[in-house]
Amino acid sequence: MSSRLYRELREKSGLAYSATASLNAYGRGGVIAIEVSTLPESVMPCLSMIFGQLVQLAFEDTAIGEEEMWHAKMQVRGQAYLSSDSIQTRVSRLATQQLYFGRPLDAEVMLGEIESVDRETLCNVAKRIIGAGLSKTAIGIAGQVGGTKEGLINDVNELRDCFDYEDNDVAQTSTKSAPADELSPRFEC
């Protein structure tokens, strides 16, 4: 199954060679990393599409459809089953469960929890995590980019202005309440 970002950036628009997203979750924070391989002249269109998807996930209650939800559950279930084949992955998962929950979780309990997630809950989590996280966005670009450094900074800040948002619910649900003007990311190189 390909991700939404991959489909949008590679299959539909042809802007990127590859697009991946990953999560590094920790007890008191974490990082959602999005990586794209593209041509220098496609950096800004890719960033625009990525921010568009993030804003959609964070602020549109209908951003996740029933079919997409079902596919995501099946993928997570499949990954859980396949990862049990690797001793290293099993040990890592047990250590993570011990850190987060204070005990190992039964596989059937974990799969039941995956099944119990509904669209409304997922949309609320996306709004809380992604919505609040947009104010803490960092962009790293490796390789050449079309234009000058100043031009890139201006382009990215103009892009930010396109996705500027004020949402008091996000400010209230984040761990640290922030004024609305702090919710808009500002980019620098």
Side-chain angles (χ1 to χ4, degrees):
M1 177 178 144
S2 61
S3 72
R4 179 190 293 203
L5 275 176
Y6 184 86
R7 285 190 311 270
E8 293 295 322
L9 291 167
R10 168 106 174 129
E11 295 173 0
K12 289 184 181 176
S13 68
L15 287 172
Y17 303 114
S18 68
T20 61
S22 61
L23 171 68
N24 295 314
Y26 305 103
R28 294 186 181 175
V31 173
I32 297 173
I34 299 172
E35 298 177 40
V36 177
S37 298
T38 190
L39 295 170
E41 59 269 16
S42 298
V43 169
M44 290 311 299
C46 284
L47 285 173
S48 180
M49 199 169 282
I50 291 167
F51 276 99
Q53 289 294 318
L54 291 172
V55 167
Q56 183 183 17
L57 281 172
F59 299 110
E60 292 181 20
D61 292 335
T62 59
I64 302 166
E66 289 294 338
E67 184 176 348
E68 186 176 23
M69 183 75 177
W70 180 83
H71 281 288
K73 284 182 180 183
M74 292 303 105
Q75 182 174 359
V76 172
R77 287 178 61 93
Q79 288 172 341
Y81 281 123
L82 290 174
S83 67
S84 64
D85 288 345
S86 163
I87 296 295
Q88 182 178 0
T89 304
R90 287 169 61 188
V91 170
S92 176
R93 185 173 47 207
L94 287 171
T96 300
Q97 291 170 357
Q98 187 66 38
L99 285 171
Y100 284 114
F101 306 108
R103 63 184 170 77
L105 299 178
D106 179 66
E108 290 306 314
V109 170
M110 186 175 63
L111 293 173
E113 290 293 323
I114 292 168
E115 273 308 307
S116 72
V117 175
D118 60 12
R119 273 180 358 113
E120 181 181 351
T121 301
L122 189 58
C123 287
N124 288 336
V125 169
K127 183 174 188 174
R128 193 180 79 239
I129 304 288
I130 296 172
L134 284 169
S135 67
K136 299 167 187 74
T137 302
I139 297 175
I141 299 173
Q144 296 180 355
V145 177
T148 64
K149 178 180 173 181
E150 293 77 20
L152 176 64
I153 292 171
N154 288 336
D155 288 348
V156 171
N157 282 321
E158 284 178 24
L159 173 66
R160 185 224 29 142
D161 292 339
C162 291
F163 294 107
D164 209 2
Y165 58 89
E166 291 184 23
D167 191 312
N168 291 330
D169 291 340
V170 172
Q172 292 170 3
T173 58
S174 66
T175 55
K176 176 185 156 197
S177 186
D181 62 334
E182 287 183 23
L183 290 176
S184 300
R186 191 46 86 179
F187 304 102
E188 298 178 17
C189 286

